[in-house]
Amino acid sequence: MKLRRRARMAVLQALYEADIAHHPAGEALGRRLEEQSLPEPVQQFARRLLSGVLRYRGQLNTLIARYAPEWPLDQIAVIDRNLLRMALYELSDPAMGTPVKVAVNEAVELAKLFGSDSSPRFVNGVLGSVVAANDLVDLEKADLWPEDDLVLTPPSSAGSKERAGVSP
């Protein structure tokens, strides 16, 4: 399995754990990264993706609601909602370096692995509509969630806390 897919899987699992068990997402990601022994650049990719999803989730949620109007956000399956957030963030952040086709395909493939039977079609449909409209989050103009809501734990220091900024 490709390294970035493994990183995306770790982020998806961390977001799922945070949503379901209310564990800090950074700690959950740290555990996943330690289990997988990914190279440092791939770990940085995963941390940036998690940080971006957390920091811009308000705008990402608005975008999801706009392109899936029949589904209130809280009624979208946790896996599907987080896959959409992840792909939309990747598409919105040029520094992630993810081509559109790759971001959409990766989200659909992860939906096949972790979602329900209808997840791949749903995820593909929402992302396809967003891409067709070229309606992504403008990260420079977006309002961020409060910093106190963004405490992540880096994998190397289990006890200390670090602010989750969007790293360069």
Side-chain angles (χ1 to χ4, degrees), residues 12 24 66 68 138:
L12 178 62
R66 185 178 309 141
D138 184 345

Side-chain angles (χ1 to χ4, degrees), residues 46-154:
R47 285 189 210 102
R48 183 179 182 99
L49 180 56
L50 178 68
S51 176
V53 167
L54 294 176
R55 292 197 71 146
Y56 296 99
R57 68 184 174 261
Q59 288 74 19
L60 297 169
N61 290 346
T62 299
L63 206 51
I64 293 166
R66 185 178 309 141
Y67 289 93
E70 313 81 35
W71 290 95
L73 200 63
D74 63 344
Q75 290 182 11
I76 296 174
V78 174
I79 291 291
D80 298 355
R81 185 173 56 236
N82 282 315
L83 283 171
L84 289 169
R85 287 173 178 158
M86 290 167 56
L88 291 170
Y89 178 75
E90 274 194 81
L91 291 168
S92 297
D93 185 357
M96 294 296 287
T98 308
V100 171
K101 209 170 192 179
V102 171
V104 173
N105 186 57
E106 286 293 307
V108 170
E109 290 302 314
L110 289 174
K112 289 177 185 176
L113 287 173
F114 294 101
S116 68
D117 289 343
S118 61
S119 292
R121 181 178 289 171
F122 176 71
V123 167
N124 189 54
V126 173
L127 293 176
S129 295
V130 172
V131 168
N134 196 27
D135 188 12
L136 300 172
V137 175
D138 184 345
L139 301 180
E140 291 184 16
K141 294 181 182 176
D143 293 327
L144 301 178
W145 279 62
E147 289 232 7
D148 291 342
D149 208 16
L150 302 175
V151 178
L152 301 179
T153 303

